[in-house]
Amino acid sequence: ETGVTQTPRHLVMGMTNKKSLKCEQHLGHNAMYWYKQSAKKPLELMFVYNFKEQTENNSVPSRFSPECPNSSHLFLHLHTLQPEDSALYLCASSQGLSRERSGELFFGEGSRLTVL
Amino acid sequence: AQTVTQSQPEMSVQEAETVTLSCTYDTSENNYYLFWYKQPPSRQMILVIRQEAYKQQNATENRFSVNFQKAAKSFSLKISDSQLGDTAMYFCAFRGSGNTGKLIFGQGTTLQVKP
């Protein structure tokens, strides 16, 4: 098992669909993150969870709904997305939220999302 | 607001040569961390090296080293003896104060190592 696993790796959905992205970490970390990676743009932090509690929502539209049932699992529920939401969605984890710990992120391979 | 800028969208280097990737940042804080991440094609992003702002000595990890110029707010990455496996996108990142875990990334530099 790799440290951070994301499923599915690829997802194509219509604007009216509802789908979910899943992330699981096997590193014993307490903090988990969702990032959006679009072409030619910096990685955008979406959400941060620490011990299942959300600590950061970076002004993300409500059509993205995160869920963190425990420290090892993180979901991103998607509904009524727009074509501009097409991107690579990266999950990451860290041991904690201190400056040192939260900078050392362990990433999954990402879920490539295409919205038609 | 804190920002991170990587002004080189693409670079290339011959195998076994040395290349330097640039990064500048803007902050009013005095104590922070800086990082370089590597994202190989279709593979996971991994941490390459990190620098604590209060440490004057430049960080080094094997063939990777940084040139940290705090006054100039510059944090460049030097890759020595470049290898084909170094081909990747490289991201500079900044972590300041606060307890929310927010890491600010630059736009990335795509590095191609040529045989």
Side-chain angles (χ1 to χ4, degrees):
Chain A
E1 286 277 4
T2 56
V4 180
T5 304
Q6 289 187 243
T7 55
R9 294 291 311 280
H10 300 273
L11 178 64
V12 179
M13 59 187 291
M15 289 191 285
T16 58
N17 291 157
K18 291 184 179 181
K19 297 287 184 181
S20 296
L21 306 181
K22 178 183 176 182
C23 176
E24 184 175 0
Q25 59 97 359
H26 307 275
L27 301 169
H29 289 167
N30 302 318
M32 296 188 76
Y33 309 73
W34 280 117
Y35 278 89
K36 177 183 179 182
Q37 184 176 17
S38 305
K40 303 189 187 303
K41 291 178 66 176
L43 269 73
E44 300 172 56
L45 177 66
M46 300 176 72
F47 303 102
V48 181
Y49 280 82
N50 190 39
F51 289 103
K52 304 188 301 178
E53 299 299 320
Q54 189 179 108
T55 61
E56 177 84 21
N57 177 339
N58 199 26
S59 302
V60 180
S62 60
R63 57 186 184 269
F64 295 91
S65 176
E67 178 189 0
C68 188
N70 54 61
S71 293
S72 300
H73 293 85
L74 185 64
F75 296 88
L76 188 62
H77 303 301
L78 316 168
H79 60 98
T80 61
L81 294 190
Q82 305 299 312
E84 59 264 30
D85 296 323
S86 299
L88 181 68
Y89 289 85
L90 294 171
C91 175
S93 70
S94 68
Q95 284 189 321
L97 293 188
S98 67
R99 273 180 295 192
E100 179 177 1
R101 296 297 190 194
S102 65
E104 295 188 45
L105 297 176
F106 291 76
F107 284 89
E109 294 187 39
S111 294
R112 174 72 61 185
L113 173 67
T114 302
V115 181
L116 301 177
Chain B
Q2 292 137 347
T3 59
V4 177
T5 302
Q6 294 177 249
S7 58
Q8 304 152 314
E10 297 180 355
M11 293 190 71
S12 64
V13 62
Q14 291 296 132
E15 196 175 6
E17 294 188 348
T18 295
V19 64
T20 298
L21 309 183
S22 301
C23 173
T24 58
Y25 58 95
D26 189 25
T27 184
S28 59
E29 297 184 22
N30 191 50
N31 194 14
Y32 47 86
Y33 285 80
L34 295 163
F35 305 85
W36 278 99
Y37 278 85
K38 169 186 177 182
Q39 187 179 35
S42 301
R43 292 179 60 188
Q44 287 163 301
M45 191 176 310
I46 59 172
L47 179 64
V48 174
I49 198 166
R50 73 171 190 181
Q51 175 78 42
E52 299 165 63
Y54 63 87
K55 289 188 176 180
Q56 291 186 332
Q57 187 172 5
N58 289 324
T60 299
E61 289 286 343
N62 300 314
R63 299 182 294 107
F64 297 87
S65 61
V66 299
N67 182 6
F68 174 48
Q69 301 290 327
K70 191 172 184 179
K73 296 179 183 175
S74 171
F75 182 59
S76 60
L77 175 70
K78 186 173 81 170
I79 306 174
S80 305
D81 185 25
S82 296
Q83 300 176 0
L84 296 178
D86 296 333
T87 292
M89 181 166 257
Y90 288 82
F91 293 93
C92 178
F94 171 95
R95 173 69 168 102
S97 63
N99 298 321
T100 62
K102 190 168 185 175
L103 192 65
I104 299 171
F105 285 86
Q107 304 94 318
T109 296
T110 299
L111 176 66
Q112 178 76 41
V113 180
K114 298 179 178 179

